[in-house]
Amino acid sequence: MNTEKDFSPLTPNIVRALNDKLYEKRKVAALEIEKLVREFVAQNNSTQIRHVIQILASEFALSQHPHSRKGGLIGLAACSIALGKDSGLYLKELIEPVLTCFNDSDSRLRYYACEALYNIVKVARGAVLPHFNLLFDGLSKLAADPDPNVKSGSELLDRLLKDIVTESNKFDLVAFVPLLRERIYSNNQYARQFIISWIHVLESVPDINLLDYLPEILDGLFQILGDNSKEIRRTCEVVLGEFLKEIKKTPSSVKFAEMANILVIHCQVADEAKLTNDLIQLTAMTWMREFIQLAGRVVLPYSSGILTAVLPCLSYDDRKKNTKEAASACNHSLMKLVTPEDDEDEEERNGSTRPLSREDDQPKTEADGNDMLNASQESVGFSNISFFTPASSDRPQVTLDLDGIVQVLDRHLHDSSTGMMTRIAVLKWLYHLYIKTPRKMFRHTDSLFPMLLKTLSDESDEVILKDLEVLAEIASSPAGQTDQGGSCDSTDNKLKLKVPEGVTPGQQHSSKAGDLSPSTPSMNSYFYKFMINLLKRFSLERRLLENRGAFIIRQLCLLLHAENIFHSMADILLKEEDLKFASTMVQTLNTILLTSAELFQLRNQLKDLRTQESCALFCCLYRSWCHNPVATVSLCFLTQNYKHAYDLIQKFGDLEVTVDFLIEVDKLVQLIESPIFTYLRLQLLDVENNPYLIKALYGLLMLLPQSQAFQLLSHRLQCVPNPELMRTVNVPKYVDSKRPSHTQMDYSELLQHFDRVQSKHLEVRHQRSGRASDHSDRKLM
């Protein structure tokens, strides 16, 4: 430094001492400066005070010489001490050169800068708050300083500054938040510790409402929560916990919508291998649960994003039990927020009398009621889902993001990696939406329908059961009615879909009443499409029919009334071109009809044929049952058409008797011995009025080889009393007194129909055997 330069009012001795390499000499110079400045203060000479500070800053603190810089720092601290309460008038000039030295490469000089700034701040106290951002910015850099002495000095200064902020009520939070938002994303461990400690202090000050600015720092807090340091994570947990407590106390002032997207992002774990991510996810999910419960319907416009985050967590195992439980609570609370008012259009809410158009109220359907939806068709591709789009401020009502929700649910159904509990939750959501918002949901039915049918092949029975409940609600909801109703016209009679007896609007029609629709289960156009596609799926997936067919049909009988299911399936199978499948399907339906507890009422309806409706149902079933001769006979046994059963068995001699055919006869004999046919066995006591029953049973006996079934039926027939009464009575004398006159049927026409169906089956079998023979000949050649 040029000692010839004029540094007045600093004396040459002070200048030399400030430049000295010895600390003691610089300290003596600082005392002289303090004395000099005190004199200027007494004289109220602010010009000379500023001149001294300017010389110390530019000529010393910002000098190129390290000892000069050290002298400048101690001189500036001395000025502040001398100024006392008046130091606030000169803080900018005092602080800025000291903060510049925070970036010095010499660790000793950075330490002296900390010491100088500590003395300046200690004297100025609350007066430093207008310069808080400068101080905070400098301290945030020193918090990560590699030198332990510098770190120790910065921590002392940090504690002093925190005390000042805590004591003062003039802290400018608005000016500070942008800097905090910037610094909170630091990846340095020490910087993070510094940031989170300051947030903790500010949050605890009653006069500082940091909650208003939480949306700006919440994402950064979750980033810090993932730090590798256990201490930092613990502090961050405490801070987040305090914020959540405050949110619960004052929910009306919380900006839920602005923070919801942040929670959605952190509820989704990118790297499940990191334990810290589990903590982030659990904390975010806990916050989400509280948000839904506190904000209520305010979160409905953002429900698609919430479901995107929540649904995958429902399939977590016990290692993430807490996260799973929090996600389940979120899902349950969100579902409860959807109400029937969400099915109203905005015009309706505003009292408009505009009539609903068919596009508003009803789903689009094909012109032909018999056209089938492609059960195996995949839905269109999915675009990336945007989590939250805040509703406009002038919208008077909260709007449910139904389209977004359906997109999320459909995506999870299509994803093969979706866990079982998640799939169940998705189906529960779809069912709930069809109950609460049926009109709007039916706009999505055509796109959802194929995937719902595909889900019937799921490996979980519980998933299939929930899927059936959704499909049943689609098929029975009044909102699905169209002009092209799915009537089931056959050549002779028309399917009339019925409502279960004793069911009124608001009642359920299943053993699980609480899970089902409160609406009246009157069938709509989707019912017939559902039946067509279900049978098509059984035809394409025979394993599904073998393993789950009975389960699916029995559940549908509970959900949609057994008569509707059997009547519609019989009508569809009557037109089935694949005769082998038709025979297999009839056999399956017949077994369900004769053995399932769910079909008790339908069996009783068919047992006596006392009404015109029951006779029409019998005729509808009979025409399809003809695809399987043994099933047809068993239907006749069930309906007590014993003479017709005997006439059918007489025709069995003209059929191709195969091993499979004999196995079916064997099963029928076993069924005759079951509780279902108790009434039939008791009728064997009345030989005179039931001769054709006995003759039909003897016909079955003659068909069987001498097997176990043969022995079983033979022993049963040996128990018939007084064999002489088995003589056939005159046909005119035999009149079934149980049948009302209006239920008499044309059995000759039914026999002719049986012959026609069996001829088709025989022709198909001959064609198959011919093709097999040609194939064998070609191989031999």
Side-chain angles (χ1 to χ4, degrees):
M1 177 176 287
N2 186 3
T3 56
E4 302 295 327
K5 192 173 182 180
D6 183 17
F7 291 103
S8 60
L10 298 182
T11 66
N13 289 334
I14 293 175
V15 171
R16 281 195 298 273
L18 287 176
N19 287 315
D20 200 280
K21 64 179 180 179
L22 295 177
Y23 172 75
E24 292 301 326
K25 290 187 177 182
R26 294 196 300 270
K27 186 175 180 180
V28 170
L31 292 173
E32 291 296 325
I33 292 172
E34 181 181 344
K35 181 179 178 181
L36 180 64
V37 172
R38 286 185 190 277
E39 292 175 1
F40 290 144
V41 171
Q43 300 166 6
N44 198 22
N45 192 343
S46 60
T47 302
Q48 285 291 69
I49 294 172
R50 291 187 185 279
H51 189 49
V52 170
I53 294 174
Q54 191 272 330
I55 291 174
L56 290 172
S58 60
E59 300 296 333
F60 289 90
L62 301 179
S63 169
Q64 297 297 319
H65 195 278
H67 298 310
S68 298
R69 293 200 295 274
K70 294 173 185 176
L73 289 170
I74 198 170
L76 289 170
C79 287
S80 177
I81 293 170
L83 288 166
K85 61 186 173 99
D86 293 330
S87 63
L89 300 172
Y90 309 94
L91 277 176
K92 187 175 187 296
E93 294 88 343
L94 289 168
I95 289 174
E96 286 184 353
V98 177
L99 288 174
T100 302
C101 293
F102 276 13
N103 298 316
D104 199 282
S105 58
D106 185 351
S107 62
R108 289 291 298 168
L109 201 138
R110 295 197 302 274
Y111 175 79
Y112 286 131
C114 272
E115 186 179 52
L117 191 57
Y118 179 87
N119 288 318
I120 294 171
V121 171
K122 187 176 181 181
V123 171
R125 300 299 292 184
V128 302
L129 289 179
H131 309 280
F132 179 81
N133 279 13
L134 284 173
L135 298 172
F136 184 89
D137 185 49
L139 277 174
S140 66
K141 296 172 183 176
L142 289 189
D145 198 284
D147 187 272
N149 292 323
V150 176
K151 274 181 60 64
S152 177
S154 69
E155 287 169 2
L156 285 173
L157 176 57
D158 181 52
R159 283 197 291 272
L160 174 61
L161 200 56
K162 284 173 181 173
D163 290 340
I164 293 171
V165 170
T166 304
E167 295 167 0
S168 174
N169 57 0
K170 296 180 181 179
F171 181 73
D172 189 355
L173 185 61
V174 176
F176 173 60
V177 166
L179 179 61
L180 177 62
R181 184 177 60 237
E182 176 189 343
R183 289 288 187 267
I184 202 170
Y185 287 104
S186 172
N187 290 323
N188 184 277
Q189 192 175 80
Y190 297 105
R192 282 180 165 182
Q193 179 72 62
F194 173 76
I195 292 290
I196 197 64
S197 68
W198 265 103
I199 294 175
H200 193 191
V201 167
L202 293 175
E203 203 280 328
S204 65
V205 178
D207 294 333
I208 298 177
N209 187 12
L210 193 56
L211 185 62
D212 284 346
Y213 302 92
L214 184 57
E216 301 188 50
I217 63 172
L218 184 61
D219 181 60
L221 285 172
F222 275 103
Q223 299 283 354
I224 293 176
L225 190 61
D227 194 90
N228 292 327
S229 167
K230 187 175 181 179
E231 182 181 352
I232 293 176
R233 291 199 306 271
R234 187 183 296 113
T235 306
C236 193
E237 279 189 89
V238 171
V239 170
L240 286 168
E242 291 299 321
F243 274 123
L244 193 56
K245 286 180 184 178
E246 196 171 344
I247 288 171
K248 292 178 182 180
K249 290 178 182 177
T250 58
S252 60
S253 62
V254 177
K255 301 173 182 177
F256 290 106
E258 296 181 25
M259 292 185 281
N261 183 43
I262 298 169
L263 297 182
V264 166
I265 293 171
H266 290 289
C267 280
Q268 302 173 74
V269 177
D271 183 8
E272 294 190 13
K274 290 186 66 176
L275 294 177
T276 54
N277 280 341
D278 292 346
L279 175 61
I280 293 173
Q281 187 181 35
L282 174 58
T283 306
M285 196 66 71
T286 302
W287 275 58
M288 183 74 78
R289 179 189 64 202
E290 298 297 336
F291 271 33
I292 296 171
Q293 293 174 353
L294 293 170
R297 288 179 58 84
V298 172
V299 302
L300 275 183
Y302 321 115
S303 45
S304 61
I306 296 173
L307 284 176
T308 299
V310 165
L311 287 173
C313 302
L314 300 178
S315 293
Y316 284 170
D317 54 26
D318 288 342
R319 288 175 295 179
K320 294 186 177 182
K321 182 180 178 181
N322 292 336
T323 304
K324 180 179 179 179
E325 289 176 352
S328 180
C330 288
N331 184 59
H332 182 68
S333 297
L334 187 63
M335 189 179 291
K336 287 170 63 177
L337 296 179
V338 181
T339 63
E341 73 177 78
D342 294 309
D343 205 26
E344 299 173 1
D345 291 323
E346 194 167 346
E347 292 83 354
E348 292 179 272
R349 291 198 186 109
N350 296 333
S352 172
T353 57
R354 180 185 68 83
L356 291 174
S357 64
R358 183 162 297 279
E359 287 80 9
D360 290 331
D361 191 32
Q362 309 228 356
K364 296 179 180 178
T365 59
E366 289 88 355
D368 184 0
N370 288 334
D371 284 351
M372 291 186 288
L373 296 174
N374 187 353
S376 61
Q377 180 183 357
E378 299 290 343
S379 297
V380 295
F382 300 100
S383 60
N384 292 330
I385 298 173
S386 59
F387 291 126
F388 295 101
T389 306
S392 61
S393 58
D394 59 346
R395 184 172 294 173
Q397 293 283 344
V398 171
T399 304
L400 176 69
D401 179 23
L402 186 62
D403 293 349
I405 290 177
V406 172
Q407 190 179 26
V408 172
L409 298 176
D410 197 23
R411 177 165 57 89
H412 279 91
L413 276 184
H414 277 80
D415 188 353
S416 59
S417 64
T418 300
M420 182 189 75
M421 297 308 297
T422 299
R423 296 198 302 276
I424 291 172
V426 166
L427 293 167
K428 285 182 177 179
W429 259 103
L430 288 172
Y431 181 80
H432 184 72
L433 292 172
Y434 271 109
I435 295 298
K436 300 297 182 181
T437 60
R439 291 190 308 163
K440 289 184 178 179
M441 275 302 294
F442 266 93
R443 300 169 188 170
H444 300 278
T445 299
D446 285 347
S447 62
L448 290 171
F449 200 63
M451 195 61 215
L452 290 171
L453 287 165
K454 187 176 180 181
T455 305
L456 291 174
S457 302
D458 197 275
E459 59 185 16
S460 166
D461 283 351
E462 192 172 353
V463 171
I464 294 175
L465 182 57
K466 294 300 176 186
D467 190 38
L468 287 171
E469 289 179 6
V470 178
L471 287 165
E473 184 59 31
I474 291 174
S476 62
S477 173
Q481 296 289 358
T482 65
D483 292 338
Q484 302 89 3
S487 61
C488 187
D489 293 325
S490 65
T491 55
D492 295 294
N493 48 17
K494 184 175 180 179
L495 170 60
K496 295 180 181 179
L497 300 174
K498 298 182 66 176
V499 177
E501 295 178 10
V503 175
T504 58
Q507 288 182 325
Q508 311 299 332
H509 48 288
S510 167
S511 57
K512 293 187 177 181
D515 294 334
L516 299 181
S517 169
S519 60
T520 303
S522 56
M523 302 303 108
N524 58 39
S525 60
Y526 279 95
F527 172 80
Y528 201 58
K529 292 179 181 180
F530 177 27
M531 293 298 103
I532 290 172
N533 282 278
L534 178 60
L535 289 174
K536 180 179 179 181
R537 195 148 201 90
F538 284 151
S539 177
L540 296 174
E541 294 186 38
R542 296 300 173 87
R543 289 187 63 184
L544 175 63
L545 176 59
E546 294 170 6
N547 299 333
R548 302 290 179 81
F551 171 72
I552 291 172
I553 294 169
R554 287 166 58 191
Q555 292 302 320
L556 286 175
C557 288
L558 288 174
L559 295 166
L560 293 172
H561 195 42
E563 183 176 346
N564 292 336
I565 302 300
F566 273 74
H567 206 160
S568 59
M569 285 190 170
D571 183 84
I572 296 165
L573 288 171
L574 189 60
K575 306 161 190 172
E576 176 61 51
E577 295 180 357
D578 186 346
L579 298 183
K580 185 175 181 181
F581 167 70
S583 177
T584 303
M585 194 67 221
V586 164
Q587 183 183 1
T588 301
L589 290 171
N590 186 66
T591 302
I592 296 169
L593 176 63
L594 294 178
T595 61
S596 298
E598 295 85 353
L599 278 295
F600 175 78
Q601 185 177 349
L602 186 60
R603 283 197 297 272
N604 279 348
Q605 184 179 344
L606 289 169
K607 183 177 174 182
D608 296 326
L609 299 181
R610 289 185 176 276
T611 64
Q612 191 67 46
E613 291 77 11
S614 61
C615 290
L617 176 60
F618 166 74
C619 290
C620 180
L621 297 182
Y622 179 93
R623 294 178 186 282
S624 289
W625 260 234
C626 287
H627 284 298
N628 189 295
V630 178
T632 312
V633 169
S634 66
L635 180 63
C636 291
F637 282 155
L638 175 65
T639 56
Q640 302 184 66
N641 282 297
Y642 301 136
K643 183 178 185 304
H644 193 69
Y646 171 70
D647 292 338
L648 288 174
I649 291 172
Q650 289 288 89
K651 293 178 175 291
F652 282 9
D654 300 328
L655 303 179
E656 183 180 359
V657 178
T658 63
V659 173
D660 290 339
F661 178 87
L662 292 175
I663 290 173
E664 289 183 39
V665 176
D666 189 293
K667 290 179 180 178
L668 176 57
V669 171
Q670 303 292 335
L671 278 173
I672 291 172
E673 293 297 320
S674 71
I676 297 296
F677 282 113
T678 299
Y679 68 92
L680 180 147
R681 297 196 301 274
L682 288 174
Q683 287 173 353
L684 292 175
L685 297 173
D686 189 0
V687 178
E688 183 175 357
N689 289 320
N690 295 292
Y692 286 103
L693 169 58
I694 298 171
K695 294 182 65 126
L697 293 178
Y698 267 107
L700 291 179
L701 187 67
M702 295 303 107
L703 282 171
L704 286 168
Q706 295 198 20
S707 59
Q708 184 178 357
F710 177 90
Q711 298 296 330
L712 191 65
L713 184 55
S714 176
H715 290 160
R716 173 63 63 184
L717 289 171
Q718 288 174 15
C719 297
V720 176
N722 198 351
E724 291 186 2
L725 294 178
M726 291 173 57
R727 292 193 304 272
T728 305
V729 298
N730 293 330
V731 174
K733 183 180 176 182
Y734 177 71
V735 178
D736 190 347
S737 59
K738 299 177 183 178
R739 302 272 193 259
S741 59
H742 68 271
T743 63
Q744 299 302 315
M745 290 172 282
D746 185 357
Y747 288 100
S748 61
E749 193 278 331
L750 294 177
L751 283 173
Q752 291 172 10
H753 177 77
F754 178 84
D755 289 339
R756 289 194 296 270
V757 172
Q758 290 308 309
S759 295
K760 289 181 182 179
H761 278 268
L762 184 62
E763 182 180 348
V764 168
R765 282 196 292 271
H766 286 166
Q767 290 174 354
R768 286 176 181 165
S769 61
R771 287 194 295 269
S773 177
D774 292 343
H775 181 68
S776 300
D777 292 343
R778 285 195 294 271
K779 287 181 69 176
L780 289 172
M781 293 173 65

